[in-house]
Amino acid sequence: MSHQLTDSSAPIRVTSAPASPETRRAWLRAALVLGLFALTGAGLGVLWEHLWQPSQGLVVRREWFVVDSEFRYDPAGLRNQFSGTGLFVVIGGVAGLVLGGITALLARRDELLVLGSVVAAVLMWQVGTRLGPADPQVLALTAERGTVLPDHLALGSPGALLVWPLASLVALCAVFLLIPGRHRE
């Protein structure tokens, strides 16, 4: 066996080839796809918060409840508490289909579509919830009895974050089925 691995007098030379133009184009395309998904996710987070209408509730004994002015449960307000998640699913599903289809047509790296859709879903969720009202349960700890507070924007289920990637994959499958020669090298 050669002693090059244990011989400390032998210099180790590391050489790297300069990036080819095709490699640079691939990195640029990856950055553009991920940037497109990230910007769209953040922008749709703003839209999600803007379109959502919060339920109103009252503070009773340092807790927030969806009740009317006479302290009776408000059925419409209780149903509306789930509208944030529903709106997230609708917006994310449509955006995932559209961006997934565009990315599947333009980019040759399908893993970017999945990664980009996950980034978009998380950004939409974080931007939307941070722009929305604060958690009324936390505010109720220091509020007076009868104070009216809006509900906070939140996802009722973390599974709603899967809508973006699933819709993007549906679009990718549609492109593969409708344009079968598109992704062949």
Side-chain angles (χ1 to χ4, degrees):
M1 175 167 226
S2 173
H3 294 284
Q4 290 177 341
L5 294 176
T6 58
D7 185 12
S8 61
S9 65
I12 298 174
R13 291 190 178 112
V14 178
T15 60
S16 63
S20 69
E22 188 167 319
T23 303
R24 282 188 289 244
R25 271 187 254 118
W27 279 105
L28 178 63
R29 191 178 307 126
L32 288 173
V33 167
L34 292 176
L36 175 66
F37 271 98
L39 286 173
T40 303
L44 289 178
V46 173
L47 178 69
W48 177 43
E49 191 278 329
H50 179 72
L51 293 177
W52 175 72
Q53 296 297 316
S55 297
Q56 300 295 319
L58 294 175
V59 175
V60 181
R61 289 186 234 124
R62 305 279 182 225
E63 287 188 62
W64 181 80
F65 295 97
V66 182
V67 292
D68 60 16
S69 61
E70 296 172 9
F71 299 105
R72 293 181 303 211
Y73 281 106
D74 180 13
L78 290 170
R79 280 191 301 275
N80 189 46
Q81 285 189 299
F82 301 102
S83 68
T85 302
L87 192 57
F88 182 91
V89 167
V90 169
I91 293 171
V94 170
L97 284 171
V98 170
L99 278 182
I102 291 170
T103 303
L105 287 170
L106 299 179
R108 297 201 187 280
R109 304 287 307 268
D110 303 323
E111 62 274 10
L112 291 176
L113 180 139
V114 176
L115 179 62
S117 62
V118 169
V119 167
V122 170
L123 280 172
M124 180 178 167
W125 167 48
Q126 288 298 307
V127 168
T129 55
R130 291 181 197 279
L131 289 176
D135 186 354
Q137 293 296 351
V138 174
L139 297 175
L141 294 173
T142 58
E144 295 295 319
R145 182 176 194 264
T147 303
V148 177
L149 295 173
D151 195 6
H152 69 296
L153 182 58
L155 286 182
S157 169
L161 291 171
L162 296 175
V163 169
W164 270 89
L166 290 175
S168 295
L169 287 174
V170 166
L172 175 68
C173 290
V175 168
F176 275 147
L177 292 174
L178 297 175
I179 310 172
R182 172 66 179 100
H183 286 282
R184 290 192 188 131
E185 294 297 322

